[in-house]
């Protein structure tokens, strides 16, 4: 049975509380606070909804009009430029400085473009004052531990009459994960010492959504051969776990070492090399390698906002298969749960997928018997949930962390 991963929704309450200022860009400022809040449909992040503690915000003010996306005559960037917004670890509030106010005239609109986390390695934002739809350049770091699960969102033409402004982030990279096991015919003790994925493009430009790209953030990947790299994960560089494979699939990448790569087409001659090391029953070490052309496996692209999961099996024959799975849980077509769902027991930690604050819910819900959801917040909003199949009870530990 294939393994599916529920990536929990990020439930944010981001309050931009405002004190009065006299002017905002030469326009009269209201005394209305700007409140930001993410809705129930907010996209998830890897492993834990506590991982993101910073976001960056860009905002445009349109005078007596809506947002103009033209790069020559459009609205200039500047109301916010790469504004750092930080989560307070003790209260959960989102804070920033200096405080800003809504324009007093509702005909003067604000358009917001945000990303998370703030200032990741490899990102270069468009200049302040850029006209029209903003963009950023991004170079994926070489080592997996330095790579970021980059997310973006945007909202156009808001004013102080809007009760709340919702930010719903989406993943814009491709997550690449490896799991492995030994087959029934394997002997001795086996581990994976190296995984190499190559050649892969590492540089691109993301432009936020506009009428040209269907209001969906879109990558333009560099065509330069100099922007092509090999991503190498090994035990020695800390990206792979030094573990012995068992007859059950397990992750072989260390925590925070999942590959987060640019979405891109995979042309001919893109390869995956895996090195296995086995110590047999006589103490003799044997090294075997797997060399696969990804096109020949049928993998022709790294899709945006998805996870490519490679499953390896070591035995007399080396086996490899892959699946493409959603990171956005709404792709499971189950939607989100409401407050009427019944929680069973206390929160637990799922060792299999390294996710904390999981709950079991009472059946029947959507004809399934088991879900995992994030802990209920004080505001009583529930996040998206997805069916995850049978949970190994040996991997559950009651915890409040």
């Amino acid at each position: 049975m294939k393994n599916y991963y529920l990536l929990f929704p990020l439930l944010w309450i981001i309050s931009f509380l405002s004190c009065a200022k006299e002017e905002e860009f030469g326009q009269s400022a209201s005394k209305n606070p700007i409140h930001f809040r993410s809705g129930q449909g907010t996209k998830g992040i890897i492993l834990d909804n506590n991982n993101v503690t910073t976001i960056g915000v860009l905002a445009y003010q349109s005078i007596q009009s809506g947002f103009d996306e033209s790069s020559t005559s459009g609205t200039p960037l500047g109301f916010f430029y790469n504004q750092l917004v930080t989560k307070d670890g003790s209260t959960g509030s989102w804070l920033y400085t200096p405080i800003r106010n809504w324009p007093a005239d509702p005909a003067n609109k604000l358009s917001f473009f945000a990303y998370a986390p703030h200032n990741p390695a490899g990102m270069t934002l468009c200049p302040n004052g850029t006209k029209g739809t903003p963009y950023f350049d991004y170079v994926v770091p070489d080592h997996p531990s330095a790579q970021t699960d980059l997310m973006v969102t945007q909202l156009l033409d808001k004013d102080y009459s809007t009760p709340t402004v919702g930010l719903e982030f989406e993943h814009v990279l491709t997550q690449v994960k490896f799991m492995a096991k030994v087959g029934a015919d394997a002997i001795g003790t086996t581990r994976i010492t190296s995984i190499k994925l190559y050649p892969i493009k590492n540089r691109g430009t993301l432009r936020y959504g506009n009428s040209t790209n269907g209001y969906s953030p879109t990558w333009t990947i560099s065509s330069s051969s100099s922007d092509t790299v090999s991503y190498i994960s090994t035990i020695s560089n800390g990206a792979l776990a030094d573990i012995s494979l068992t007859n059950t699939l397990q992750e072989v990448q260390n925590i925070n070492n999942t590959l987060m790569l640019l979405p891109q087409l995979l042309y001919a001659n893109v390869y995956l090399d895996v090195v296995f090391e086995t110590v047999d029953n006589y103490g003799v070490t044997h090294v075997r390698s797997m060399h696969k052309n990804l096109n020949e496996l049928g993998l022709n692209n790294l899709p945006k906002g998805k996870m490519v999961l490679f499953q390896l099996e070591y035995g007399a024959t080396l086996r490899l298969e892959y699946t493409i799975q959603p990171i956005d849980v709404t792709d499971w077509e189950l939607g989100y749960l409401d407050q009427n769902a019944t929680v069973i027991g206390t929160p637990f930690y799922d060792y299999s997928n390294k996710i904390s604050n999981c709950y079991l819910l009472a059946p029947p819900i959507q004809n399934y018997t088991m879900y995992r959801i994030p802990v209920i917040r004080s505001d009583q909003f529930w996040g998206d949930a997805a069916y995850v199949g049978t949970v190994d009870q040996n991997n559950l530990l009651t915890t409040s962390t």
Side-chain angles (χ1 to χ4, degrees):
M1 183 175 74
K2 294 198 174 3
N3 289 274
Y4 294 88
Y5 292 83
L6 172 60
L7 303 177
F8 285 173
L10 177 63
L11 299 179
W12 287 356
I13 302 299
I14 307 175
S15 295
F16 284 11
L17 300 177
S18 169
C19 62
K21 291 177 66 177
E22 293 302 319
E23 298 291 326
E24 296 285 359
F25 285 87
Q27 303 297 314
S28 177
S30 73
K31 297 182 184 294
N32 294 284
I34 300 176
H35 296 285
F36 282 72
R37 167 181 186 154
S38 70
Q40 290 176 310
T42 302
K43 313 302 187 292
I45 64 171
I46 293 178
L47 297 181
D48 189 334
N49 62 12
N50 293 316
N51 283 357
V52 170
T53 58
T54 63
I55 65 173
V57 179
L58 302 89
Y60 296 73
Q61 181 176 194
S62 303
I63 307 302
Q64 301 295 304
S65 67
F67 179 72
D68 184 347
E69 65 186 37
S70 170
S71 61
T72 56
S73 61
T75 307
L77 174 60
F79 190 89
F80 285 132
Y81 180 73
N82 200 23
Q83 175 65 59
L84 170 64
V85 184
T86 304
K87 184 177 182 179
D88 186 300
S90 59
T91 67
S93 300
W94 290 83
L95 308 174
Y96 80 104
T97 187
I99 302 300
R100 304 306 302 269
N101 299 317
W102 286 104
D105 186 346
N108 295 339
K109 307 294 185 181
L110 295 182
S111 296
F112 301 90
F113 300 83
Y115 69 92
H118 184 261
N119 280 353
M123 173 184 282
T124 303
L125 285 171
C126 62
N128 197 9
T130 294
K131 293 182 178 181
T133 309
Y135 61 90
F136 58 79
D137 297 326
Y138 186 62
V139 178
V140 179
D142 291 337
H143 197 279
S145 65
Q147 296 169 7
T148 300
D149 182 17
L150 191 60
M151 298 183 292
V152 303
T153 189
Q154 66 188 71
L155 283 169
L156 303 181
D157 299 333
K158 300 299 179 181
D159 60 55
Y160 69 78
S161 64
T162 304
T164 58
V165 178
L167 295 176
E168 298 194 1
F169 286 82
E170 64 177 287
H171 297 271
V172 291
L173 297 178
T174 304
Q175 181 186 157
V176 179
K177 182 171 287 190
F178 298 91
M179 301 187 73
K181 67 176 183 178
V182 293
D185 57 356
I187 58 173
T189 301
T190 298
R191 62 179 186 164
I192 293 177
T193 60
S194 176
I195 296 175
K196 180 180 179 181
L197 185 61
Y198 66 104
I200 300 292
K201 293 291 186 181
N202 71 337
R203 182 185 295 271
T205 299
L206 182 134
R207 187 171 295 276
Y208 282 83
N210 56 31
S211 60
T212 302
N213 58 25
Y215 294 97
S216 176
T218 301
W219 286 101
T220 300
I221 305 302
S222 171
S223 59
S224 173
S225 59
S226 63
D227 295 325
T228 301
V229 299
S230 299
Y231 289 106
I232 303 174
S233 299
T234 66
I235 291 175
S236 61
N237 71 12
L240 295 184
D242 189 359
I243 55 174
S244 297
L245 302 183
T246 68
N247 58 6
T248 300
L249 280 170
Q250 58 185 314
E251 295 180 27
V252 297
Q253 292 149 301
N254 274 321
I255 295 176
N256 297 325
N257 279 268
T258 299
L259 290 172
M260 301 301 303
L261 307 182
L262 290 177
Q264 58 193 276
L265 294 175
L266 299 178
Y267 298 101
N269 303 320
V270 175
Y271 299 102
L272 176 65
D273 291 350
V274 183
V275 178
F276 300 85
E277 182 181 276
T278 298
V279 179
D280 66 22
N281 296 335
Y282 300 97
V284 178
T285 299
H286 307 269
V287 176
R288 293 175 65 188
S289 297
M290 172 187 288
H291 177 74
K292 294 290 185 180
N293 184 313
L294 296 187
N295 277 182
E296 293 176 359
L297 290 175
L299 183 59
N300 299 312
N301 73 96
L302 299 178
K304 183 181 73 173
K306 301 290 184 180
M307 175 176 70
V308 179
L309 173 62
F310 289 98
Q311 298 179 352
L312 300 150
E313 181 177 321
Y314 179 89
T317 301
L318 300 180
R319 297 183 175 89
L320 171 66
E321 64 178 54
Y322 74 90
T323 58
I324 296 176
Q325 301 178 8
I327 294 178
D328 178 354
V329 295
T330 59
D331 285 354
W332 293 82
E333 299 179 352
L334 285 176
Y336 57 82
L337 304 177
D338 60 28
Q339 290 92 326
N340 295 321
T342 302
V343 175
I344 302 175
T346 56
F348 60 81
Y349 184 83
D350 179 352
Y351 276 110
S352 296
N353 298 309
K354 301 180 180 64
I355 304 177
S356 60
N357 287 326
C358 305
Y359 282 91
L360 302 186
L361 300 187
I365 300 174
Q366 298 281 348
N367 297 320
Y368 293 109
T369 59
M370 190 173 295
Y371 292 76
R372 289 187 296 198
I373 61 173
V375 65
I376 307 172
R377 293 178 57 93
S378 59
D379 55 19
Q380 292 300 305
F381 274 84
W382 296 69
D384 290 345
Y387 176 64
V388 295
T390 302
V391 172
D392 182 355
Q393 296 298 317
N394 295 322
N395 282 325
L396 306 185
L397 174 68
T398 300
T399 178
S400 59
T401 60

